[in-house]
Amino acid sequence: MDKTSAIGDMPDKEFREYGYRIVDKIADYFKEMENLPVLSQNEPNDLKSKLPPSAPDQGEEFAEVLKDMDDLIIPALSHWNHPNFHGLFSTSTSSVGVFGEMFIAAFDQKAMLWRTSPASTELEEVTLNWLRELMGLPEQFSGLIYDTASVSTMHAIAAARERKGLRIREDGMSGRDDLPLLRVYGSDQTHSSIEKSLITLGLGQRSMCAVKTNDRYSIDVDELRASIERDISNGFEPLCVVATIGTTSTASSDDLQAIAEICEANDIWLHVDMAYAGSAMILPELQHFMDGIESADSVVTNPHKWLFTPFDLSVLYMKDMEILRKAFSLVPEYLKVAEDVTNQMDYGIQLGRRFRSLKLWFVIRYFGADGLRSRIREHIRLAKLFASWVEESERFQLSADVDFALVCFRAVPERVEDLNSFNETLMNEINREGGAYLSHTKLDDQIVLRLSVGSIRAEERHLIKTWKLLNAKLEELCDK
Ligand SMILES: *Cc1c(COP(=O)(O)O)cnc(C)c1O
């Protein structure tokens, strides 16, 4: 085919041929991924240096492109789906989630108005209601999908600001001397995305108050109360408290009930960040972490983290969506409609929205509530099993409680003086060799290793493998 003068899309026959091959390739990838190094073994610029600096003038055979996928792209991937990807939070897509993305790309919806995508607008509402019920969130909450928790949280804080009635939507914050310093509270374990929201919203980092935590890495509630009182007496305006269920460092949780009481007494917006642990709330035995949730104004959870849904899909649940609409709705003439419907463009900064609910709907329908619960339960069992090995070992020590599927621990071999640099070396060596990926955090000046279990492909043997790698590497380093 002469592609230079051709118009139109890839021919139907070619699309089908490659389509079947690509599904086979993805299936092979899932099946054989285990044999690949978890982290890419590339050095910086390895990929860039192998690609031409300019786009091709002539279209290429798609087979050529696929070949480069194998030769160039896959080696540059760090395999988040790998069962031994334990760093950060282990997240993965299910196969059925991939099907979702295929249709989402094919349908190419931009759900700005109901009219531009009734399917996306309505399926999102229904699916998020299912998820709300599964998580045991009260009925007053309704949800909206954004790309990431960072963006969900930014919208929640914007809504909190709108509720204060400070005319910031209309007049902004700059050039005004009638505005008090607005304060947003979290703990010293709160996710960095909160502070980024404050930067974005023009509140500034000065607005952030990071309250110290107790020995379980939960916010010190007395200290929170005292900070708020101090701020009020200084003429500051408390705006929002961010409570976390499942912090990023250790997956610790704040005492929601106690925080809710403080927020109610002071008319402060309560935002609950459970980007990671929200998925685990589908387990009845973990619902107690949400005691007090009925007082929250907004809640964020990321099905793309631990609910087998491909990135990206974050859900913001709000008690009063109307505030969000008041904060963001701006309708130009060409988008005015007569229908009395939900137009999702009214609830945030973006106009077009991806049809993300489709993949979550696939996942929930395919696995069912029971299937999702048993998978999450298994991950928690595996994490606790790993923690029991750590506890039984003389060479390792547990650094935090294991409430979900994250284990924080460190190596404590005898006769090693600088345990921090020893643990760093241990982690870096394992990560470099590619058998597993662990990440770290710092707790009370100690470098601590983090092992997260969350891949839908994780089995007990993968944890055994990581445990063996850790022990072998520790011995090797001690022998040096
Ligand atoms: C992962 C995480 C976030 C940020 O998630 P993104 O979706 O990547 O923005 C925020 N808070 C907590 C507690 C998290 O675990």
Side-chain angles (χ1 to χ4, degrees), residues 106-120:
F107 296 150
D108 197 25
Q109 300 288 284
K110 288 98 201 177
M112 37 187 93
L113 301 169
W114 174 85
R115 174 56 63 200
T116 62
S117 185
S120 181

Side-chain angles (χ1 to χ4, degrees), residues 1-7 58-59:
M1 182 186 60
D2 175 10
K3 293 192 177 183
T4 314
S5 57
I7 55 168
Q58 307 289 313

Side-chain angles (χ1 to χ4, degrees), residues 363-377:
V363 167
I364 296 177
R365 287 194 63 178
Y366 181 77
F367 294 108
D370 286 343
L372 292 172
R373 286 190 199 106
S374 61
R375 282 166 176 83
I376 300 254
R377 239 181 228 126

Side-chain angles (χ1 to χ4, degrees), residues 97-132:
V98 174
F99 288 161
E101 287 286 6
M102 288 168 78
F103 281 113
I104 291 166
F107 296 150
D108 197 25
Q109 300 288 284
K110 288 98 201 177
M112 37 187 93
L113 301 169
W114 174 85
R115 174 56 63 200
T116 62
S117 185
S120 181
T121 308
E122 295 185 19
L123 190 69
E124 187 163 321
E125 192 182 321
V126 171
T127 308
L128 295 189
N129 232 348
W130 288 7
L131 181 65
R132 180 190 60 70

Side-chain angles (χ1 to χ4, degrees), residues 96-110 120 123 309-310 312-313 353-362:
V96 78
V98 174
F99 288 161
E101 287 286 6
M102 288 168 78
F103 281 113
I104 291 166
F107 296 150
D108 197 25
Q109 300 288 284
K110 288 98 201 177
S120 181
L123 190 69
T309 305
D312 46 14
L313 197 162
R353 296 167 148 269
R354 277 160 55 73
F355 187 6
R356 292 190 182 88
S357 60
L358 189 70
K359 55 187 170 180
L360 182 58
W361 186 62
F362 277 19

